[in-house]
Amino acid sequence: MFDTMKVARKIRAARVAQNMTQMQLADVMEVSYQAVSNWERGNSMPDISKLTQLGSVLQISLDDLLQNNAGTLTVKKIIRREAGEDTDPVILEELGNVMPLLSPRQANSCIQEALQVQETLDLNAIAGIAPFLDTKFLDSLIDRVETVRFPEIQHLAPFLSAQALDRLVERAELNGDFSQIQSLAPFLGTDTLDRLVRKTLLENADGSINIHSIRGLLPFLSHNTLHSLAETMMKHGSLDDLKALLPFC
């Protein structure tokens, strides 16, 4: 991602070097005075369609303005696309760096082109653009994900619907390690959490389930599942295990 404060300082320094006021720069750029003020405060970034003009007015190169970071090449690629020049499509992995600079139309155009050339998607790439997408559209993308891992699901959880998140969790390998799912519990449906815990109960017929490993899930489980856990603890667990359950039963 771009360091907005560094870009802000670059814009201000270049404007001062050109002996321009914020109002004068706003007039030349055909934006509001508040827009320029926000650029220089680091509250927002100039729209990607304004960057070439801004660099020309302030006599600063795009590389210098954007600190020549990972997103600069993507910005250049999008600018060339906007100018009608031939260029490779911007892929989702690249878009995460530049989404704050794109208008909704530009973002939608880039995403649609990327989806045409990428048969399978990576959860990390989707997580990078998730905060800028509509929930329904984001839900539709996860069905094209090939590999599902819990750390990546955690980054997506706040932006997905409960149904889509449930589908992802069911595809991931839990292997009895509930520590991976604790942070997801507030976003998951009760049925999904019940199913995961009951599956572990069935796989551990001897009752060897560590109640402390699922302590963070207890407030989100149904009463039936909690009672099943209590019965298991009464038969195979310790008094301390049962005590951990009692506030939720």
Side-chain angles (χ1 to χ4, degrees):
M1 295 291 288
F2 296 103
D3 186 327
T4 56
M5 291 309 301
K6 286 184 178 180
V7 174
R9 287 192 289 269
K10 285 282 185 179
I11 294 174
R12 184 181 186 282
R15 175 182 61 77
V16 171
Q18 295 302 311
N19 195 31
M20 298 179 72
T21 66
Q22 288 186 339
M23 187 67 76
Q24 287 172 326
L25 180 57
D27 288 341
V28 174
M29 295 297 299
E30 298 181 320
V31 298
S32 67
Y33 161 77
Q34 288 82 2
V36 173
S37 177
N38 282 328
W39 296 347
E40 295 191 2
R41 292 170 182 267
N43 293 335
S44 65
M45 294 275 286
D47 187 282
I48 203 168
S49 61
K50 292 287 186 181
L51 288 177
T52 300
Q53 181 188 6
L54 183 63
S56 177
V57 170
L58 298 181
Q59 296 184 27
I60 183 173
S61 71
L62 200 57
D63 286 337
D64 194 14
L65 177 63
L66 300 180
Q67 305 293 305
N68 197 25
N69 75 0
T72 306
L73 289 176
T74 307
V75 168
K76 291 179 177 179
K77 186 186 290 188
I78 294 175
I79 289 175
R80 291 198 301 272
R81 286 177 67 258
E82 293 281 309
E85 299 176 17
D86 290 335
T87 182
D88 295 329
V90 178
I91 61 175
L92 293 186
E93 285 79 358
E94 296 174 314
L95 278 178
N97 290 320
V98 301
M99 286 295 281
L101 303 180
L102 300 178
S103 67
R105 178 189 62 79
Q106 289 169 324
N108 183 65
S109 175
C110 288
I111 291 171
Q112 293 301 332
E113 283 197 15
L115 294 177
Q116 289 177 15
V117 298
Q118 294 180 258
E119 293 183 5
T120 59
L121 304 179
D122 181 83
L123 273 185
N124 270 335
I126 296 176
I129 62 176
F132 307 94
L133 300 181
D134 171 77
T135 299
K136 185 176 181 180
F137 179 58
L138 183 60
D139 286 355
S140 71
L141 295 183
I142 68 164
D143 293 325
R144 293 175 59 173
V145 172
E146 196 167 55
T147 305
V148 179
R149 294 176 290 266
F150 273 104
E152 296 164 353
I153 297 177
Q154 291 168 358
H155 296 309
L156 275 171
F159 309 106
L160 290 169
S161 69
Q163 295 80 5
L165 185 58
D166 287 348
R167 295 203 304 273
L168 273 182
V169 168
E170 287 177 0
R171 289 176 55 193
E173 289 292 330
L174 187 60
N175 295 326
D177 182 7
F178 285 99
S179 64
Q180 300 179 92
I181 206 169
Q182 305 264 5
S183 61
L184 294 175
F187 303 101
L188 289 170
T190 300
D191 288 345
T192 297
L193 288 171
D194 282 352
R195 187 159 52 249
L196 291 172
V197 172
R198 285 180 175 276
K199 180 182 177 184
T200 301
L201 283 175
L202 290 173
E203 291 172 349
N204 295 273
D206 61 350
S208 58
I209 181 171
N210 183 357
I211 195 65
H212 298 288
S213 71
I214 62 171
R215 185 185 290 271
L217 304 182
L218 299 179
F220 306 99
L221 297 174
S222 69
H223 289 298
N224 287 338
T225 298
L226 288 168
H227 291 166
S228 295
L229 281 170
E231 290 176 357
T232 299
M233 293 302 104
M234 288 171 67
K235 293 177 182 178
H236 306 285
S238 66
L239 183 60
D240 285 340
D241 289 337
L242 188 58
K243 284 181 179 178
L245 273 173
L246 289 180
F248 305 98
C249 290

